[in-house]
Amino acid sequence: MCRQKGYSGFVLWRGNCYFRSSTKGWDDLRRSRVRSAEHTLYINVPLVVNQSEFELIPMSESCEGQDADSLLNFESLYHCQVKCIEGNYGGFVTWNGHAYFRKMHPQALVKAAVPKNTTDLWVWHCHRPEDQSKSRRKLRRHRTSPPPITADDTTVTT
């Protein structure tokens, strides 16, 4: 709610939430904080968008009419990308200063893309690191099978 309303942060104190706004933004709020055990300050830090994760398919539309959300009269492409990441959408379509978000998988959006002169399709290919437990499991699976025995192998008994 803090980000939606445009506040710089909020303070939790004695079970209540107090929203804070600063004309200079979150950095000013961070510098002016007071350290106290009685309250906790949460600062709304701007999200950094990795531009390489977004693929532009110009003059295209995908899954028309299947809008999961929208952002009307957006200020910049950055705001659309942030909303796409926060909503975990597969991508969005921009048209006439409006953005329409799609909940489909990015590959499904690319596959369903059709030419349309007035819209641009932005697909979010999130680069998530591979789960370490899965890679270890694959490695263990390969280790369980013994190596093949060749004629040069010798058996040593003690």
Side-chain angles (χ1 to χ4, degrees), residues 74-88:
F74 62 85
E75 293 176 27
S76 71
L77 191 58
Y78 168 80
H79 292 100
C80 300
Q81 292 170 332
V82 167
K83 188 170 182 93
C84 185
I85 293 168
E86 288 177 343
N88 201 25

Side-chain angles (χ1 to χ4, degrees), residues 49 51 53-57 60-62 66-71 74 76-85 88-95 98-106 109 119-125:
V49 175
Q51 296 296 326
E53 291 184 346
F54 284 90
E55 173 189 3
L56 168 63
I57 303 174
S60 296
E61 167 68 281
S62 185
Q66 297 182 29
D67 305 337
D69 203 351
S70 63
L71 186 59
F74 62 85
S76 71
L77 191 58
Y78 168 80
H79 292 100
C80 300
Q81 292 170 332
V82 167
K83 188 170 182 93
C84 185
I85 293 168
N88 201 25
Y89 300 117
F92 59 95
V93 174
T94 56
W95 172 79
H98 307 302
Y100 301 95
F101 298 88
R102 306 290 191 255
K103 197 68 176 173
M104 290 76 167
H105 191 275
L109 286 174
T119 62
D120 287 331
L121 173 63
W122 292 86
V123 181
W124 180 42
H125 299 284

Side-chain angles (χ1 to χ4, degrees), residues 14-138:
R14 295 185 182 175
N16 293 318
C17 181
Y18 300 93
F19 289 95
R20 307 296 302 244
S21 62
S22 173
T23 55
K24 296 178 184 173
W26 66 272
D27 196 43
D28 182 51
L29 190 62
R30 181 184 57 83
R31 275 189 256 126
S32 67
R33 71 180 186 254
V34 177
R35 295 177 193 264
S36 168
E38 294 181 14
H39 72 274
T40 305
L41 172 65
Y42 293 89
I43 299 174
N44 184 8
V45 179
L47 184 65
V48 176
V49 175
N50 184 352
Q51 296 296 326
S52 68
E53 291 184 346
F54 284 90
E55 173 189 3
L56 168 63
I57 303 174
M59 296 185 292
S60 296
E61 167 68 281
S62 185
C63 307
E64 188 171 359
Q66 297 182 29
D67 305 337
D69 203 351
S70 63
L71 186 59
L72 305 179
N73 300 317
F74 62 85
E75 293 176 27
S76 71
L77 191 58
Y78 168 80
H79 292 100
C80 300
Q81 292 170 332
V82 167
K83 188 170 182 93
C84 185
I85 293 168
E86 288 177 343
N88 201 25
Y89 300 117
F92 59 95
V93 174
T94 56
W95 172 79
N96 254 5
H98 307 302
Y100 301 95
F101 298 88
R102 306 290 191 255
K103 197 68 176 173
M104 290 76 167
H105 191 275
Q107 291 173 343
L109 286 174
V110 172
K111 189 174 183 180
V114 294
K116 191 165 186 182
N117 288 336
T118 58
T119 62
D120 287 331
L121 173 63
W122 292 86
V123 181
W124 180 42
H125 299 284
C126 177
H127 300 298
R128 291 191 177 111
E130 184 180 349
D131 184 13
Q132 294 297 325
S133 62
K134 287 181 183 176
S135 61
R136 282 192 204 116
R137 213 175 301 131
K138 288 178 190 173

